[in-house]
Amino acid sequence: EVQLVESGGGLVQPGGSLRLSCAASGFTFSSYEMNWVRQAPGKGLEWVSYISSSGSTIYYADSVKGRFTISRDNAKNSLYLQMNSLRAEDTAVYYCARTIQPDVWGKGTTVTVSS
Amino acid sequence: SSELTQDPAVSVALGQTVRITCQGDSLRSYYASWYQQKPGQAPVLVIYGKNNRPSGIPDRFSGSSSGNTASLTITGAQAEDEADYYCNSRDSSGNLFGGGTKLTVL
């Protein structure tokens, strides 16, 4: 079964950092592009970042550029999102999603930025 | 920057046909994907490419595109189709989602 499982969410103070992880299983992870997508409470979906299958091409939404870093470890079938200088507006459920126009989604991990 | 525009809310009578639209410049170059999201759940892909349905998606869901507009059509809407629907497109520097359309089945 194809599966994506996010972890690492939690409560963090403004200005703090958090690292999200996504564990992939049931498919050849190294062959697929991956994304992070987030959804603030009561709001729509917002694309956050993209990484190619090899990790050589990376894109970020303007709202997170310079603060977030996407990476992957194909040997560990894992995707990561390092989030620094967190703001209240980064509060959201963060989803790991497969391919540039996602066909498989994880269940998400919740990040709350609050003092 | 590019954006995708959707109507915030649409309603349909049970068993009738409804079209949800998405407008944006990126749709002139890339096909839209469509996602259904129910409360408390992750999005589910319902349409991708020219008009393709993933396994398990009922054939009452279909997609089309013309110029800068993509459409998701539900023919014979069911009560379980009540949900938020999002369009998605690639663009030159990543990815875009529409603001979402809340579909109510009356």
Side-chain angles (χ1 to χ4, degrees), chain A residues 35 37 39 43-47 59 95 100-103 105-107, chain B residues 31-33 35 37 41-43 45 86 88-90 93-95 97:
Chain A
N35 292 276
V37 179
Q39 187 169 34
K43 303 297 185 182
L45 300 173
E46 179 188 14
W47 170 76
Y59 299 121
Y95 295 102
I100 182 71
Q101 289 182 265
D103 62 346
W105 298 66
K107 295 187 184 302
Chain B
Y31 286 117
S33 293
Y35 302 89
Q37 188 180 35
Q41 298 183 18
L45 178 67
Y86 295 91
N88 167 268
S89 169
R90 303 180 66 165
S93 56
N95 210 323
F97 283 95

Side-chain angles (χ1 to χ4, degrees), chain B residues 45-57:
Chain B
L45 178 67
V46 295
I47 291 290
Y48 67 97
K50 189 173 183 179
N51 180 19
N52 301 298
R53 284 176 288 104
S55 174
I57 300 301

